[in-house]
């Protein structure tokens, strides 16, 4: 009686959310279709244009003091100043906002109050020996 | 700087023309450009790049910025500052992730369970009360030297 063939190494590896698949197990490495080649060629064309602009500025006899990277400026702008105009209150965002803003506050209020009430009850009953400390 | 407002990120693109314009703005191909889903979280039209850290990029290629492994003008990941080489690393691991997490949690769970059981049911060799000399240290514990101390006998014959 024959059992099933052993599972392939790719399936044993199981793609997950945290790390990427190694290149040998990724089917994208073995994809040699013309569409992929044309995509790579277009990306290379864009890349060479950008590199030409960068090298023109870099090798300029009187170069500017700082060669600004528009990608960096866009990234900083998107993360800082573009968040407020594009934010929209939806059920998900309002729930998450309340959870992250009020959740920890209410949780710690409850925990500290419960602990202090418990300590107070033990003091009233006489079971708690107050520590003698000169530091606080 | 000399960048105009139409080169800056903007709101979520709705029509295909807006998508094409946004792809051109970010120096990406129109097919590659994929904005974050419009959930109102504040991403706007920023492209959603694959979640790969800078460790995975080719170390031998001549990047414009070798330490960041980033080229001039290339769109940066939203979490770029997390994916730099000093921080989070998404390179493929030698051992599959599920195996690693299984081993770790089994070990952690076993150790915690054993420590918990040991705290609830402590076990030690049986001991008796400590026997002190000089009538159970009568003078050292503040007994009156003029009075006769009570006799303490620790043995049986």
């Amino acid at each position: 009686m024959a059992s099933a063939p052993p599972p392939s190494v790719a399936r044993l590896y199981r793609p997950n959310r945290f790390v990427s698949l190694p290149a040998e197990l990724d089917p994208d490495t073995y994809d040699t279709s013309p569409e992929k080649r044309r995509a790579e060629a277009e990306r290379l064309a864009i890349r060479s244009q950008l590199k030409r602009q960068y090298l023109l500025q870099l090798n300029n006899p009187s170069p500017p003091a700082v060669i600004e990277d528009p990608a960096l400026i866009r990234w900083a702008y998107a993360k800082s100043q573009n968040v407020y105009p594009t934010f929209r209150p939806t059920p998900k965002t309002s729930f998450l906002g309340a959870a992250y803003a009020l959740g920890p506050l209410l949780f710690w209020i409850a925990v500290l109050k419960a602990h202090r009430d418990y300590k107070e009850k033990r003091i009233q009953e006489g079971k708690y020996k107050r520590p003698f400390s000169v530091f606080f | 700087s000399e960048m105009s407002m139409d080169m800056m990120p903007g709101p979520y693109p709705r029509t295909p023309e807006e998508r094409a314009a946004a792809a051109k703005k970010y120096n990406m191909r129109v097919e590659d450009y994929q904005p974050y889903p419009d959930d109102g979280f504040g991403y706007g039209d920023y492209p959603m790049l694959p979640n790969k850290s800078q460790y995975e990029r080719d170390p031998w290629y001549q990047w414009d910025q070798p330490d960041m492994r980033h080229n001039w003008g290339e769109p940066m990941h939203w979490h770029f500052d997390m994916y730099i080489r000093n921080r989070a690393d998404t390179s493929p691991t030698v051992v599959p992730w599920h195996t690693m997490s299984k081993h770790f949690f089994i070990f952690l769970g076993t150790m915690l369970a054993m420590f918990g059981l040991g705290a609830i049911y402590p076990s030690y060799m049986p001991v008796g009360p400590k026997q002190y000399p000089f009538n159970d240290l009568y003078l050292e514990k503040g007994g009156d030297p003029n009075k006769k101390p009570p006799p303490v006998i620790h043995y049986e014959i």
Side-chain angles (χ1 to χ4, degrees):
Chain A
M1 61 134 216
S3 51
S8 71
V9 185
R11 200 133 44 85
L12 277 179
Y13 197 88
R14 270 204 247 158
N16 60 74
R17 220 166 55 130
F18 304 106
V19 294
S20 336
L21 277 179
E24 298 86 4
L25 300 179
D26 193 2
D28 193 45
T29 333
Y30 306 110
D31 179 21
T32 51
S33 59
E35 288 83 24
K36 182 165 180 235
R37 297 221 183 133
R38 192 177 19 221
E40 297 278 329
E42 284 178 20
R43 283 188 209 125
L44 189 60
I46 296 178
R47 167 84 200 100
S48 47
Q49 291 282 334
L50 290 172
K51 186 158 180 140
R52 181 174 171 274
Q53 289 178 27
Y54 176 61
L55 286 179
L56 276 175
Q57 287 186 32
L58 191 64
N59 297 330
N60 195 348
S62 58
V66 161
I67 302 180
E68 298 166 346
D69 185 0
L72 183 66
I73 298 178
R74 274 192 283 266
W75 177 76
Y77 182 88
K79 283 192 86 149
S80 57
Q81 297 179 7
N82 204 29
V83 175
Y84 180 70
T86 51
F87 177 78
R88 212 177 61 232
T90 66
K92 187 170 169 194
T93 59
S94 349
F95 169 71
L96 280 179
Y100 285 131
L102 299 177
L105 190 67
L106 297 172
F107 172 74
W108 285 112
I109 288 175
V111 164
L112 291 172
K113 182 94 178 82
H115 180 68
R116 288 200 184 178
D117 285 345
Y118 174 68
K119 203 161 87 164
E120 182 65 28
K121 190 157 76 76
R122 280 172 65 208
I123 290 176
Q124 296 293 348
E125 290 168 6
K127 282 194 256 183
Y128 182 79
K129 178 171 172 296
R130 285 180 198 265
F132 180 70
S133 169
V134 296
F135 292 108
F136 54 85
Chain B
S1 67
E2 311 94 25
M3 286 175 73
S4 53
M5 272 314 284
D6 59 346
M7 288 171 73
M8 291 297 188
Y12 185 79
R14 297 192 189 275
T15 66
E17 292 86 24
E18 283 182 8
R19 282 180 82 105
K24 191 157 161 45
K25 179 172 71 175
Y26 287 110
N27 297 325
M28 295 174 78
R29 287 172 67 232
V30 182
E31 297 85 2
D32 285 343
Y33 175 71
Q34 174 74 30
Y36 279 95
D38 191 19
D39 264 339
F41 270 101
Y43 287 113
D45 63 355
Y46 205 81
M48 182 159 63
L49 299 164
N51 290 343
K52 291 183 182 289
S53 77
Q54 303 300 94
Y55 264 116
E56 294 198 34
R57 300 198 170 193
D58 189 1
W60 299 105
Y61 175 78
Q62 304 277 351
W63 301 97
D64 292 339
Q65 248 185 316
D67 50 345
M68 299 278 121
R69 287 185 190 166
H70 165 77
N71 282 322
W72 191 84
E74 180 193 358
M76 299 161 83
H77 195 282
W78 183 267
H79 296 296
F80 180 82
D81 42 357
M82 179 171 81
Y83 285 131
I84 62 173
R85 282 159 63 207
N86 269 332
R87 297 180 185 172
D89 177 17
T90 60
S91 318
T93 50
V94 179
V95 182
W97 193 267
H98 63 280
T99 311
M100 283 201 296
S101 53
K102 208 172 8 173
H103 288 183
F104 174 70
F105 284 119
I106 288 177
F107 174 75
L108 191 70
T110 312
M111 296 306 285
L112 284 175
M114 297 304 281
F115 274 106
L117 281 177
I120 298 172
Y121 306 112
S123 86
Y124 43 85
M125 294 296 290
V127 289
K130 211 158 170 60
Q131 300 173 353
Y132 292 99
F134 304 119
N135 298 334
D136 208 13
L137 294 178
Y138 178 74
L139 285 177
E140 282 83 355
K141 282 192 188 165
D144 194 354
N146 299 323
K147 271 210 290 245
K148 190 169 161 39
V152 177
I153 302 185
H154 291 300
Y155 52 86
E156 272 181 11
I157 300 182

